[in-house]
Amino acid sequence: MSTIYTFITCSRVCQLKPSTIIQGLKQLETSTNRFRVPLNCVWTNPQRSLHSSGPLKQLNTQRGTERRLILENEYAVEKDTLLYRFDNAKSIKLINVFAISQFVFWSYLGHFAFTMMKDVPVPEEDKANPNLPWWRKMNFGKYRYGITTGCFVVGWGTMAIAWMYTLRCVRFLVLKKGGANVMFITFSPFNRYKSLTVPLKDISAKQSRMSATAYLPLKVKGKYMNFILDMRGEFLNTKLFDYSAGLQRNWS
């Protein structure tokens, strides 16, 4: 029965003539269990035959309707809708504590280098002594300005990078009523939150949500740095996000 059903299915797709179908069924009754497709089973229009089947036709119709709704902006929401959420304030707080501690440490080290290091030349006999370590043969006071500047750069740089990450790390992403604007709610260094509302047409995703691994950057037109969506967060409405803020837009 399964063999006969397979042959009938193939005949429908291949669009065989009735005489060919009857002849093939007679051959199946007298042959073994091996099924062979007749040589005159020729595709008349394979693409049309495949897309004219029920499930595929329904899927294509659904996709076409979905594209039309996107183009007609039918995904406009009737109220503020939360697209993304990342509740991990503890890790952000730890990053800021680390940044402040590094700033204090390197600032103190720079102050110590500037005030305590003296320019004392090293005697020639000490330079020629092979038993002394290398640091005993150097006059660090001669480079105190460079050491002080380097300490302040490291301290300020560490804190600036941590704070820029904090201010660009998105906690909530909200699609405003009407679907024309998106509000970014980000963290701040002192356990507060900042918000920014921008037009939806000015947001472009650097990559798709499915291909992102650790972070998903969102570019806002007119802003120097990207906003960051941590992939450990929760996308509450994936389809709405993909069709709004998750689209990659090309600006002229």
Side-chain angles (χ1 to χ4, degrees):
M1 290 298 293
S2 60
T3 307
I4 296 175
Y5 177 78
T6 305
F7 180 82
I8 294 174
T9 304
C10 179
S11 65
R12 289 179 179 177
V13 178
C14 298
Q15 299 183 359
L16 296 176
K17 297 181 180 180
S19 59
T20 307
I21 298 174
I22 297 174
Q23 183 180 359
L25 290 175
K26 291 181 179 180
Q27 291 178 359
L28 287 174
E29 292 176 354
T30 56
S31 61
T32 58
N33 292 329
R34 295 180 60 187
F35 174 70
R36 296 181 180 179
V37 179
L39 294 178
N40 57 355
C41 181
V42 182
W43 293 95
T44 57
N45 193 347
Q47 185 175 4
R48 182 179 178 184
S49 300
L50 287 175
H51 288 280
S52 62
S53 59
L56 288 179
K57 185 176 181 180
Q58 183 180 2
L59 180 60
N60 291 332
T61 304
Q62 182 179 0
R63 289 179 177 176
T65 305
E66 190 172 296
R67 294 191 188 99
R68 180 178 58 81
L69 291 175
I70 296 171
L71 294 176
E72 294 178 358
N73 197 20
E74 292 291 338
Y75 281 94
V77 293
E78 298 180 354
K79 60 181 180 179
D80 293 353
T81 304
L82 186 62
L83 300 178
Y84 171 82
R85 177 176 60 196
F86 179 57
D87 287 328
N88 198 3
K90 184 178 180 180
S91 62
I92 301 297
K93 187 181 296 184
L94 290 177
I95 291 175
N96 289 308
V97 170
F98 170 78
I100 294 174
S101 62
Q102 289 295 306
F103 172 74
V104 173
F105 170 77
W106 288 102
S107 297
Y108 173 77
L109 192 61
H111 175 74
F112 177 83
F114 183 76
T115 56
M116 300 301 294
M117 283 186 173
K118 304 298 180 181
D119 186 5
V120 179
V122 180
E124 294 294 333
E125 56 271 14
D126 291 342
K127 293 182 179 180
N129 188 357
N131 296 324
L132 290 178
W134 63 271
W135 55 271
R136 292 286 301 273
K137 301 178 183 181
M138 292 188 62
N139 180 14
F140 288 99
K142 185 179 180 180
Y143 307 102
R144 67 171 183 167
Y145 294 106
I147 296 174
T148 302
T149 304
C151 291
F152 276 104
V153 168
V154 173
W156 279 100
T158 303
M159 188 174 65
I161 292 174
W163 282 11
M164 283 190 294
Y165 170 78
T166 300
L167 292 171
R168 293 297 179 176
C169 186
V170 178
R171 186 186 184 190
F172 297 113
L173 186 65
V174 182
L175 183 63
K176 301 295 288 183
K177 180 180 179 180
N181 298 316
V182 174
M183 182 171 63
F184 292 89
I185 300 178
T186 62
F187 297 92
S188 66
F190 300 104
N191 201 22
R192 295 182 179 180
Y193 305 102
K194 297 189 66 176
S195 63
L196 176 66
T197 302
V198 296
L200 178 61
K201 60 183 179 63
D202 292 341
I203 301 175
S204 176
K206 290 293 185 179
Q207 58 187 127
S208 66
R209 177 180 55 85
M210 301 302 295
S211 61
T213 55
Y215 298 98
L216 176 60
L218 296 181
K219 174 65 177 177
V220 176
K221 191 175 182 180
K223 299 295 181 180
Y224 181 71
M225 295 185 62
N226 299 329
F227 287 89
I228 301 173
L229 301 184
D230 198 312
M231 295 306 294
R232 293 176 298 176
E234 182 182 3
F235 292 89
L236 301 177
N237 195 327
T238 56
K239 180 175 289 189
L240 186 59
F241 173 82
D242 293 339
Y243 292 153
S244 55
L247 288 177
Q248 184 176 5
R249 296 175 174 85
N250 296 322
W251 300 307
S252 58

